[in-house]
Amino acid sequence: MLNIVLVEPEIPNNTGNIGRLCVGTESKLHLIKPYGFKITDSNLKRSGLDYWVHLDWKEYETVAEWMAQIPDKSRVFLTSSRATKSIYEVEYQDGDWLVFGKESVGLSNEVLDQFENHLKIPMNPLIRSFNIANSVAFIIGEAKRQIAINN
């Protein structure tokens, strides 16, 4: 099972879509507060449709609370448009942590500085970034492909 971490998500529709993706890929969703919405937001529920009840998820008050339960920090991969290593240069393993920042600014330097594995999604320089739900889908797809091949 992959662990998908959203640090301070701001847009309920994105979080709902990512929750639906996690159900479909048998991944666990970890949400770190504060959110830019209420967890009961109708947009979150609508985007996740009726899959939200099947979602394996956990929420944390702070990044520190989430970090305290990570067994191996070397298996945590943070996404950043400033990273130099591509998501395709990693050998993913079952149980890896894939971390995404808030939609408006990404992950803070404070969070990035706590981990060594920073990854970027290769993209045309004409765009600044992909939508977070698309970014999660890219990386889950690659990780699940690799894990299936290696098992």
Side-chain angles (χ1 to χ4, degrees):
M1 174 181 284
L2 293 169
N3 293 286
I4 307 306
V5 182
L6 302 183
V7 179
E8 301 179 8
E10 298 171 309
I11 302 173
N13 303 54
N14 287 334
T15 302
N17 283 320
I18 293 166
R20 183 177 179 175
L21 179 63
C22 287
V23 171
T25 60
E26 299 177 317
S27 300
K28 183 169 184 170
L29 181 61
H30 302 262
L31 300 174
I32 302 174
K33 294 178 179 180
Y35 311 140
F37 53 87
K38 292 187 186 318
I39 203 72
T40 57
D41 189 293
S42 61
N43 289 320
L44 173 82
K45 300 296 184 188
R46 187 169 29 260
S47 297
L49 296 172
D50 50 351
Y51 304 108
W52 195 260
V53 297
H54 302 290
L55 179 63
D56 183 1
W57 70 289
K58 184 170 182 176
E59 65 183 341
Y60 306 87
E61 295 297 322
T62 65
V63 170
E65 180 186 344
W66 162 68
M67 286 178 56
Q69 52 85 56
I70 298 171
D72 181 359
K73 285 176 73 172
S74 73
R75 300 311 309 170
V76 177
F77 300 93
L78 289 77
T79 57
S80 172
S81 60
R82 300 179 302 271
T84 57
K85 190 173 191 175
S86 166
I87 63 167
Y88 302 112
E89 297 177 57
V90 173
E91 291 184 23
Y92 298 99
Q93 298 175 12
D94 197 29
D96 281 351
W97 299 82
L98 309 174
V99 184
F100 303 83
K102 61 172 80 176
E103 289 92 338
S104 62
V105 295
L107 291 164
S108 69
N109 286 333
E110 180 183 335
V111 173
L112 288 166
D113 291 346
Q114 308 241 4
F115 299 91
E116 62 185 58
N117 297 316
H118 301 179
L119 304 176
K120 69 175 180 178
I121 299 171
M123 66 183 92
N124 185 319
L126 293 176
I127 65 168
R128 182 173 35 91
S129 64
F130 289 111
N131 171 280
I132 189 171
N134 292 336
S135 297
V136 173
F138 272 120
I139 301 175
I140 284 180
E142 176 61 14
K144 296 290 278 188
R145 183 191 69 80
Q146 286 186 23
I147 291 166
I149 289 171
N150 293 325
N151 286 333

